[in-house]
Amino acid sequence: MENSRKVAVDVLINVFDRKSYSNITLDKMLNSSKLNAQDRALTTEIVYGTIKYKYTIDKIIDSFLVEGLSSLDSSILNILRISIYQIKYLDKVPNFAVVDEAVELAKKYKSKGASKLVNAVLRNYIRKPDKHSFNRFSSIDAMCSEFSFPKWLVKLFTKQYGEALTKKILKGLNERPCVTVRVNSLKASYDEVFEALQRNGYVVKEGIICPDAIMIIRGQSILKNTLFDEGYFTVQDESAMLVADSMDLCENLNVLDLCSAPGGKTTHIAEIMNNKGSIEAFDIYENKLELIQSNLIRLGINNVKCSIMDAEKYNESLKNSADRVLIDVPCSGLGIIRKKPEIKWNKSNNQLNALVKIQRNILMNASRYVKVGGSILYSTCTLNKDENENNILWFINNNTNFEIEPLYFGKGDNLLYSKEGYVTILPNEYMDGFFICKIKRLK
């Protein structure tokens, strides 16, 4: 019989060693396994929990090794990681069972000798669970240990937001995300979809901010529901829903979406425009455009044209052509760590710096495509100010024919409104971290 913990180790090897996406790898391995629903749930819990708390877990393991983490084979290291996670963060499995399972896995993956090392490390940790301790004189070290984030990222947030907000951000990024769907107004009303989901056995709740949002509190996979297949809703985080809502859309506009994949915001624009007007959706990869096209068909949308284009390269044919331009620019994704925890470990400061040039190039191109009186909507799913407000301030300082139009989404303890008019959405149980800014062309 297939073992849920072995599947978890295989997923983690792919995520940590091969930089694979956790959600894609986990889904693929679960779908090819013969695990029952309970074991699949346990595997999912172990995978995401271990990735989330990797920093703290690795510090614990390292404290019980003479030669350090680098001396371990990848499979043995990941067996130890999932075991420490279960012992420290879960209470559903007895410690002795975790140890026995880990020892058997180590024998299968490596050798009897490796299993003895695994046994020794885990039993020593159970005897001395407080052996690893952070530098109590360093608030950075304390936050790294408590929330399990790499030091460079904690330093970045602390420098940009201060210690109090950084703790709020780190806590939010560790929250378990809920599933939220956006009602397709082209096919049904909000109440009709809400009630249909209830009839289908889902426990649902109204969204926090966006009027089209429904939170799925409990129920089977929403993607396996016939309501999804028939296009009554799109799975989308509520933060992302606010992007199209910020664009001041109406029927018969000409809209450009320069970085459209995977298409959630593109389809939302079409729905708000009541399937009228013209929307051109661009992306650099053909396979991503095919994904958008399949969603357009599912949702009954026919006013969107999909085309390959690199948003960084200026396209003369689009000059002064658009009433609205959406640029949901490529970013570091630091606001969506609660859904993709491997971002903590797969990003670096150098990668963040390289993105800024790309984002500014796209923003400059968008400024040439928008008509006088039209607007650009700039958004990211990161919390790095260099990719967000610093880009906006750079653009406004160098382009006096544009101004920021203030946005307001109501009150919320995770909404940071700037005096300039842009909005930062802090991550919490219900929403991803996001940045949204609306820029109007004056002349």
Side-chain angles (χ1 to χ4, degrees):
M1 185 174 178
E2 195 158 17
N3 185 294
S4 59
R5 291 169 181 83
K6 182 183 183 305
V7 175
V9 170
D10 289 339
V11 172
L12 293 175
I13 290 172
N14 276 276
V15 171
F16 292 137
D17 296 355
R18 298 162 194 162
K19 309 300 181 187
S20 301
Y21 292 114
S22 59
N23 57 332
I24 295 173
T25 305
L26 179 60
D27 286 347
K28 182 178 179 181
M29 291 195 176
L30 285 178
N31 289 336
S32 64
S33 75
K34 297 179 181 178
L35 297 177
N36 60 34
Q38 185 176 357
D39 285 340
R40 288 166 70 96
L42 178 60
T43 302
T44 301
E45 170 69 47
I46 291 172
V47 165
Y48 283 118
T50 302
I51 298 172
K52 182 188 299 183
Y53 292 107
K54 173 180 173 289
Y55 179 92
T56 306
I57 290 169
D58 282 0
K59 288 289 184 181
I60 291 170
I61 297 171
D62 192 61
S63 70
F64 291 100
L65 295 171
V66 176
E67 298 180 13
L69 291 179
S70 60
S71 65
L72 295 178
D73 174 82
S74 176
S75 60
I76 299 303
L77 175 56
N78 284 302
I79 290 169
L80 285 170
R81 281 170 171 159
I82 69 167
S83 303
I84 296 292
Y85 172 71
Q86 292 170 85
I87 294 168
K88 182 174 175 62
Y89 297 101
L90 298 184
D91 55 11
K92 61 180 72 174
V93 185
N95 289 347
F96 74 86
V98 174
V99 175
D100 288 348
E101 190 78 51
V103 167
E104 291 305 310
L105 278 176
K107 289 177 183 176
K108 292 176 182 176
Y109 273 97
K110 194 70 177 171
S111 65
K112 189 173 182 180
S115 72
K116 290 180 179 179
L117 182 145
V118 167
N119 182 64
V121 169
L122 296 180
R123 293 193 181 280
N124 283 335
Y125 172 62
I126 292 169
R127 284 194 292 268
K128 300 177 182 179
D130 300 319
K131 180 180 177 182
H132 164 67
S133 61
F134 57 85
N135 179 0
R136 61 190 180 91
F137 299 107
S138 168
S139 60
I140 298 292
D141 282 355
M143 285 188 283
C144 288
S145 181
E146 179 182 357
F147 298 105
S148 196
F149 276 77
K151 190 170 290 187
W152 74 267
L153 190 48
V154 175
K155 285 182 176 179
L156 176 73
F157 286 150
T158 303
K159 180 181 178 182
Q160 295 184 351
Y161 291 93
E163 189 172 315
L165 270 183
T166 294
K167 288 182 178 179
K168 187 173 183 177
I169 289 169
L170 299 179
K171 181 179 183 299
L173 290 174
N174 276 344
E175 292 283 2
R176 187 189 299 271
C178 68
V179 176
T180 310
V181 301
R182 186 192 77 235
V183 173
N184 179 7
S185 57
L186 299 176
K187 292 206 171 187
S189 70
Y190 183 94
D191 289 343
E192 286 171 335
V193 176
F194 195 97
E195 292 166 6
L197 285 167
Q198 289 179 317
R199 288 196 300 272
N200 276 257
Y202 293 92
V203 177
V204 293
K205 184 178 175 182
E206 291 183 6
I208 304 300
I209 297 174
C210 185
D212 297 323
I214 299 176
M215 291 189 288
I216 310 299
I217 306 303
R218 192 165 58 251
Q220 66 174 346
S221 172
I222 200 69
L223 298 180
K224 295 179 180 178
N225 190 279
T226 54
L227 292 169
F228 173 80
D229 294 336
E230 293 169 4
Y232 285 95
F233 57 77
T234 295
V235 177
Q236 187 179 40
D237 189 85
E238 200 165 346
S239 294
M241 293 183 204
L242 295 175
V243 172
D245 278 343
S246 303
M247 294 176 67
D248 191 23
L249 296 164
C250 60
E251 295 180 2
N252 301 317
L253 293 177
N254 182 29
V255 179
L256 303 180
D257 185 350
L258 300 189
C259 312
S260 60
K265 300 175 188 69
T266 310
T267 56
H268 195 191
I269 292 169
E271 290 163 16
I272 294 173
M273 290 171 57
N274 201 27
N275 223 355
K276 296 179 180 178
S278 171
I279 303 167
E280 293 186 75
F282 299 102
D283 200 83
I284 197 169
Y285 299 110
E286 185 173 357
N287 63 314
K288 290 186 176 181
L289 290 175
E290 290 172 357
L291 175 62
I292 297 171
Q293 195 65 53
S294 66
N295 276 318
L296 294 172
I297 295 170
R298 181 178 65 84
L299 296 167
I301 293 169
N302 53 33
N303 67 334
V304 177
K305 176 185 176 184
C306 296
S307 304
I308 293 177
M309 186 179 78
D310 184 347
E312 261 203 285
K313 297 178 180 178
Y314 177 63
N315 185 339
E316 178 67 27
S317 68
L318 298 177
K319 184 178 180 180
N320 299 327
S321 67
D323 299 294
R324 307 284 185 269
V325 181
L326 169 59
I327 47 171
D328 186 51
V329 295
C331 72
S332 57
L334 300 183
I336 58 171
I337 285 173
R338 69 191 189 121
K339 289 178 178 167
K340 296 181 179 180
E342 67 271 15
I343 288 173
K344 290 184 187 183
W345 323 116
N346 292 347
K347 299 293 182 182
S348 67
N349 247 328
N350 289 337
Q351 288 173 304
L352 269 58
N353 295 333
L355 284 166
V356 171
K357 181 181 178 183
I358 295 171
Q359 292 156 350
R360 292 185 177 184
N361 287 341
I362 294 172
L363 182 51
M364 284 302 300
N365 286 338
S367 72
R368 299 182 180 109
Y369 301 154
V370 69
K371 298 175 183 177
V372 174
S375 60
I376 301 167
L377 200 291
Y378 180 99
S379 66
T380 74
C381 58
T382 189
L383 298 167
N384 175 25
K385 291 191 176 186
D386 288 337
E387 300 176 69
N388 295 340
E389 44 263 71
N390 291 349
N391 273 346
I392 299 302
L393 296 178
W394 165 84
F395 176 78
I396 293 297
N397 288 336
N398 288 281
N399 295 274
T400 56
N401 57 327
F402 286 84
E403 68 176 11
I404 298 171
E405 286 199 321
L407 295 170
Y408 185 70
F409 304 124
K411 295 180 179 179
D413 62 4
N414 69 323
L415 301 177
L416 299 182
Y417 294 103
S418 72
K419 65 180 187 299
E420 293 84 1
Y422 45 75
V423 182
T424 300
I425 303 168
L426 300 183
N428 61 17
E429 180 183 356
Y430 306 108
M431 300 175 75
D432 286 335
F434 235 78
F435 176 83
I436 304 176
C437 181
K438 186 178 180 182
I439 309 168
K440 185 175 182 178
R441 182 176 175 183
L442 303 176
K443 56 185 179 180

